[in-house]
Structure formats: C-alpha cells, structure tokens
Amino acid sequence: MKTAAAALLFVQLALATAVPKLETKISYDGYKAFRIKTDHNTAAIESELSRLSVVPLNLDTDKHIDIAVAPQDVAAFEALKFTTDVMHEDLGADITKEAVFAPYEVTAQAIPSLTWFNSYHAYADHVKFFSDLSAAFPQNSEIFNVGTSSQGRNIFGIHLWGSGGKGSKPAVYFHGSVHAREWITGKVVEYLTYQLLTQYGNNTEIKTALDKYDFYIIPFVNPDGFVYTQTNNRLWRKNRQTRSGASCVGTDMNRNWPYKWEVAGGASTNPCDETYKGAAGGDTPEIKALMAFTETLTNGKGIKLFIDWHSYGHYILIPYGYNCAAKAPNHARQLSLAQGLSTRIAQSYGTRFTTGQACAALYATTGDSTDYLTDVAKAEFAWTIELRPGSSASNGFVLPAAQILPSSIEQWEGLKYLLANV
Ligand SMILES: [Zn+2]
C-alpha cells in the first residue's frame, strides 16, 4: 500500500510538472483605451500611470502614450485630466466585434472570393485560403515551408513566379504577422498575394512585375503567437517560446535577428518585457528557420525588396534601426522611393504615411529584420511598413474589419508603384 501510495503521489507530481496549467482567456471587457498627448512629458505621465492598472499599447512614447485602462481605474485615470483621445470606449467589446469571423467556403479548384477580405479569420482558415489560392494557380505558385515554430507549427509561405519559371528572378520577399497582435498585416499580405495571382493573366502591369520578380510571401512568421491572440490574449506580441529559468513566455522575434543584436538600447534583456531579445541572437526556432530560408534567396537570384509588415502608426521605415547615424549605401535612393510610395498610398483614401530612417522616425531597434536583411542578406531595399491606424486615428491593434479592404487597396496601389520603380 505504501509503495502504491508513493507511486500515486509520484504520478500526481509528474502530472503537475508535465501538464501546463490551463490558461484562461484574458478579457479586456470594460477596458477603455486612450491616446495621451505627452508634450514630451513622457516620464512624468508614466510615473502617474504606474499607480494604475494599465496595458501599454505603443513603444514610441515620445509624442503620445497609448494605453488600455482597466475598468476599476478608468475614473481615476480620467481625473488626471491628461490631453487624450479615446481609442476604444470598450476594448473588450471591440475585440468581440472583431472576432466575428465569416465562414470560409470555397469549392475545390475555385479562386477564393473577395468577400474573404470582409472579416478577420481563424488561423486554420488562413492556411486553407493560401492553399486554395495556390491550387487555383498551379502554373504560377506553390506553398512552401521554411521550418517549424516553438510549438511545432509549420511556418508556411507562398512562392509566386512568372513566365521565366520558378526561381528564375530576383526576390520580392514579405514577412507578415511577426508581432502576433498586428492582425491587419496578415490580411494586407493576403490581399497583395491575391491581386498578384488573379491579375497576372489580365493586367499588363502585373504581368510585367511577376515576370520580373519571384515573390516569396510568408504571411504568418509567428504562427504560435497569432494563434495565441485568437485563443488567449488578443494583445500578445511575442512568440510562445518558453525558456528554462524564465517565468515569462515569449521572445520578440523582431529583436532576435543576429545582427547588431548585442548593441544596447534597442531591445530588452528581461524575458518579461515586450521587446525581450532572447538569450542570444537567432536563438528562436522561428528566426533560425527564417535565416536559413533567407540565405537561399541571397544565394539564389538575390533579394531586390524585403518588406516586414507591421501595425500600427502609418510609417514607411528604411534602414537602419540600430544606429541613427548609420546610413545604407543607397540611403538617398531608398528615401526617395519611400516618399514616392507614400504619395501613391495617399492617392486612394488620403492616408498619410510618414517616411524616414527607422531609428530616427520611430525608435532605436536592435536585432531587427530590416538591418539583417540589408547588411547580411544584401537586400537592395529592406523596409518596415507600419499599417493602419495612424497617429490621428482611433483604434490600435484592434482595427475594425471594415478597414481591411481600404487598408489593403491603398497598399496594393503602393505596391504597384514600387514594383514599377524599384
Ligand atoms: Zn510590429
């Protein structure tokens, strides 16, 4: 009996260690989100905020601080009388509205319909959408996998090519959804892919572009994080990697690329922070896989244009992030092209995108994708684009589904300009 009891206790202990605690979904019901105008008094405002239960939403806090205030502290926050705009009256209610996903229905071998862009979707449906889209255009596309995430999901992409055949031209290379909560990026990247494939056969401008470049589009480079935003915490940013000795989960993949990773000031060394850079450059399984894949492009026909799609803020950011004084050799050309892109984007709905060097226009970042793509992978252009909303608009990561199409259309017009002028 004694032995049996001891064995049972052992089994219970083993289970307690092996089975992770069932995590509940974090609710933002009743959270009110504000944009606070700082007038460069960021430190003083942050000191007041430290007494309240708030969720920070932005990292570029010099001009404004975006926060979601917990229901019990909304009155105390409003009594502080900061100059604010309301981003969400009730963040939880807006998340609930956003999570009404339209069902995805497509018959075999048919091109998915444009109604796909009327709502956000579950991750499994995104995977199926790309697979169906590729199946409808087998002469010009295929699905590929670059590797496996921390939790074992495939990191998939879609490869598009034109009349020269598969892999015959320099690469145009996109990453989406590296920061899990930036849902609009996956949708915009999907729309660009959809337009490239569906217009190839009937639009000379698109045919010229696809005959000139091979496109490698990875819409969800952080699939674990994205799934987690749908199951547990809508505002999750990092990957879902656990590390021995760290109580917090997740690494900021866009601070983990092994280039200028060691430079101080552009990332956090604390595993609990949103910008945690990892224990060593490239020590996340996702970045390892992406590095290996990127190398195949560099060693193939080279990389003409790389874009890492993010939200939010309306920015087109050129290298570098790690040092405001460092300029890419083709800095002037990059800047003029980015300004041309900004002008073209504005022609659709008047949306104004700010252009500039990442470090100066937004904030310093180390171990980011665009610095790595520029200096290690030798991309001619490597940019970060921060999508809607902008500095004057409401909402943040939780962008209403009605803005998916306009966000996508203005970027599609911009991409056509880029492909003709790059
Ligand atoms: Zn981001």
Side-chain angles (χ1 to χ4, degrees):
M1 280 301 288
K2 205 175 170 186
T3 313
L8 181 64
L9 180 66
F10 174 78
V11 169
Q12 283 169 339
L13 284 172
L15 277 174
T17 321
V19 179
K21 261 192 300 182
L22 205 62
E23 292 182 75
T24 50
K25 188 163 185 169
I26 293 176
S27 165
Y28 292 100
D29 289 352
Y31 276 69
K32 190 165 177 178
F34 298 90
R35 168 160 296 179
I36 308 165
K37 193 162 184 276
T38 61
D39 286 324
H40 306 290
N41 288 321
T42 301
I45 293 170
E46 280 176 343
S47 160
E48 296 279 5
L49 295 177
S50 67
R51 286 188 271 278
L52 303 174
S53 176
V54 301
V55 179
L57 299 174
N58 69 331
L59 303 170
D60 51 324
T61 53
D62 186 40
K63 294 193 184 106
H64 58 92
I65 300 173
D66 297 352
I67 47 157
V69 182
Q72 68 273 19
D73 280 342
V74 169
F77 172 80
E78 288 177 336
L80 292 168
K81 302 260 181 253
F82 294 135
T83 307
T84 60
D85 288 317
V86 175
M87 299 171 70
H88 297 275
E89 278 292 340
D90 183 338
L91 178 60
D94 288 344
I95 289 173
T96 304
K97 264 184 241 159
E98 181 200 44
V100 179
F101 303 152
Y104 175 52
E105 287 156 355
V106 67
T107 47
Q109 299 302 307
I111 300 165
S113 144
L114 261 178
T115 59
W116 170 258
F117 300 98
N118 292 341
S119 101
Y120 294 98
H121 291 275
Y123 179 68
D125 282 350
H126 284 291
V127 175
K128 188 160 183 342
F129 172 88
F130 277 101
S131 148
D132 289 339
L133 187 63
S134 179
F137 296 96
Q139 304 307 315
N140 295 98
S141 73
E142 71 180 14
I143 300 292
F144 61 92
N145 280 303
V146 304
T148 312
S149 68
S150 336
Q151 295 180 327
R153 292 186 175 86
N154 282 333
I155 302 167
F156 75 94
I158 185 167
H159 175 191
L160 320 180
W161 61 86
S163 59
K166 186 164 67 172
S168 61
K169 304 291 180 188
V172 173
Y173 182 26
F174 295 162
H175 286 180
S177 318
V178 59
H179 291 140
R181 60 195 178 184
E182 299 168 6
W183 282 15
I184 187 61
T185 68
K187 295 301 294 189
V188 166
V189 165
E190 271 172 350
Y191 185 88
L192 302 178
T193 310
Y194 183 90
Q195 292 298 345
L196 285 165
L197 278 175
T198 56
Q199 294 198 25
Y200 178 71
N202 53 29
N203 180 318
T204 316
E205 190 186 1
I206 305 313
K207 182 167 178 2
T208 304
L210 204 49
D211 287 347
K212 200 169 165 193
Y213 301 110
D214 275 57
F215 289 73
Y216 301 87
I217 297 168
I218 309 177
F220 298 94
V221 297
N222 175 15
D224 299 345
F226 184 77
V227 168
Y228 193 73
T229 63
Q230 299 198 322
T231 55
N232 290 73
N233 181 356
R234 177 62 185 85
L235 296 182
W236 188 257
R237 167 183 167 96
K238 301 185 281 184
N239 75 355
R240 291 295 301 164
Q241 183 176 9
T242 53
R243 293 172 183 272
S244 60
S247 59
C248 291
V249 174
T251 301
D252 184 343
M253 288 165 51
N254 203 32
R255 302 291 186 279
N256 189 243
W257 291 84
Y259 180 69
K260 302 294 178 187
W261 178 90
E262 68 291 346
V263 175
S268 172
T269 53
N270 178 351
C272 295
D273 284 352
E274 295 284 27
T275 58
Y276 176 54
K277 63 186 194 171
D283 72 349
T284 54
E286 294 88 354
I287 294 300
K288 270 197 194 85
L290 291 165
M291 283 162 57
F293 178 72
T294 302
E295 195 179 358
T296 66
L297 301 184
T298 303
N299 293 341
K301 302 293 175 186
I303 302 169
K304 183 73 178 181
L305 169 68
F306 169 79
I307 298 176
D308 203 335
W309 298 90
H310 290 252
S311 73
Y312 53 88
H314 291 176
Y315 287 98
I316 302 162
L317 301 172
I318 70 169
Y320 293 97
Y322 76 94
N323 180 343
C324 297
K327 308 276 185 241
N330 61 349
H331 178 83
R333 167 99 175 98
Q334 297 222 37
L335 202 54
S336 76
L337 195 67
Q339 284 159 351
L341 172 61
S342 171
T343 302
R344 180 60 66 90
I345 290 171
Q347 283 170 6
S348 294
Y349 304 99
T351 315
R352 314 298 310 188
F353 275 66
T354 302
T355 57
Q357 186 181 341
C359 173
L362 201 51
Y363 43 71
T365 52
T366 52
D368 68 67
S369 63
T370 51
D371 289 359
Y372 183 95
L373 263 286
T374 300
D375 282 1
V376 180
K378 306 294 177 199
E380 192 174 334
F381 301 90
W383 297 353
T384 296
I385 295 185
E386 298 275 357
L387 296 169
R388 290 187 183 201
S391 53
S392 59
S394 62
N395 318 118
F397 303 113
V398 183
L399 188 69
Q403 291 204 37
I404 294 171
L405 265 176
S407 299
S408 300
I409 289 166
E410 66 196 9
Q411 293 306 323
W412 171 239
E413 293 305 314
L415 180 62
K416 285 192 279 186
Y417 165 84
L418 267 188
L419 295 175
N421 291 279
V422 77

